[in-house]
Amino acid sequence: MYNVSMLKFIDIKDKYGHLTPIESKIDIPFEIKRIYCITRVDQGITRGFHSHRKLHQVLICINGSVKIRTKNPIEEEVIELNDPSVGLYLGNYVWREMFDFSEGSVLLVIASEYYDENDYIRNYDFYLEEAKKRF
Ligand code: T46
């Protein structure tokens, strides 16, 4: 899907467990400016319902599982994240919805920009209007 891709990180496994290193501009295709995590989401909750004009992000489910629905004016896809060594890259102008958070799940998000509410398009009709010029 346009502006959406899966990233596979190194999974270093030894008798002590697993370790996944993630480096800015090496494993992540941009300079990391911010990270945040989404935790303790109740069953049945869907988050997201927005797109970004400039922001690029990588979503990694470091515990449990979560589903991500991505959309643009012509495509739609659902991807399940359940592996700390797998990231979902979302470029700009990708609509996203996160749902089916398993109990205890932790969604780590790595972002290319500092938080800026003006970068969000939270209305789907406005999103379609802006995004249609790009697809
Ligand atoms: C995204 C998905 C995957 C901040 O103050 N700073 C921050 O860095 C972030 C990310 C959020 N906030 C505030 C804004 C809202 O008052 O935290 C509140 C919840 O944010 P929001 O409703 O946007 O959360 P989600 O889970 O719908 O979306 C978040 C990110 O905002 C978004 O960029 O792509 O996770």
Side-chain angles (χ1 to χ4, degrees):
M1 185 171 164
Y2 181 78
N3 252 353
V4 176
S5 59
M6 303 303 294
L7 305 178
K8 182 74 182 100
F9 308 120
I10 302 167
D11 179 2
I12 304 169
K13 178 180 183 297
D14 59 24
K15 64 181 180 182
Y16 303 104
H18 291 250
L19 187 153
T20 294
I22 298 174
E23 298 187 336
S24 181
K25 289 167 82 177
I26 297 175
D27 305 293
I28 300 292
F30 50 76
E31 191 172 0
I32 299 169
K33 293 230 178 95
R34 175 169 55 108
I35 61 169
Y36 57 93
C37 53
I38 297 175
T39 59
R40 289 163 282 177
V41 179
D42 288 337
Q43 283 212 327
I45 294 287
T46 302
R47 303 180 60 112
F49 297 104
H50 61 257
S51 167
H52 287 280
R53 295 188 171 92
K54 184 172 176 210
L55 184 72
H56 296 215
Q57 301 193 107
V58 174
L59 281 58
I60 307 169
C61 189
I62 59 171
N63 192 54
S65 63
V66 60
K67 290 184 184 133
I68 318 291
R69 179 176 294 108
T70 54
K71 292 189 200 178
N72 65 38
I74 49 179
E75 298 165 288
E76 178 169 339
E77 199 172 14
V78 173
I79 294 154
E80 177 166 324
L81 296 177
N82 54 18
D83 180 343
S85 68
V86 171
L88 174 65
Y89 169 80
L90 301 181
N92 58 353
Y93 285 102
V94 176
W95 186 265
R96 80 282 320 265
E97 297 164 13
M98 300 88 77
F99 62 104
D100 272 2
F101 286 82
S102 69
E103 202 180 334
S105 60
V106 177
L107 182 63
L108 178 74
V109 184
I110 298 175
S112 66
E113 307 297 330
Y114 298 116
Y115 175 69
D116 176 10
E117 186 57 38
N118 293 321
D119 189 63
Y120 286 71
I121 310 172
R122 293 189 182 270
N123 175 295
Y124 192 63
D125 291 334
F126 294 163
Y127 162 73
L128 284 179
E129 209 173 295
E130 279 193 44
K132 269 180 186 160
K133 297 171 194 154
R134 286 165 177 85
F135 288 89

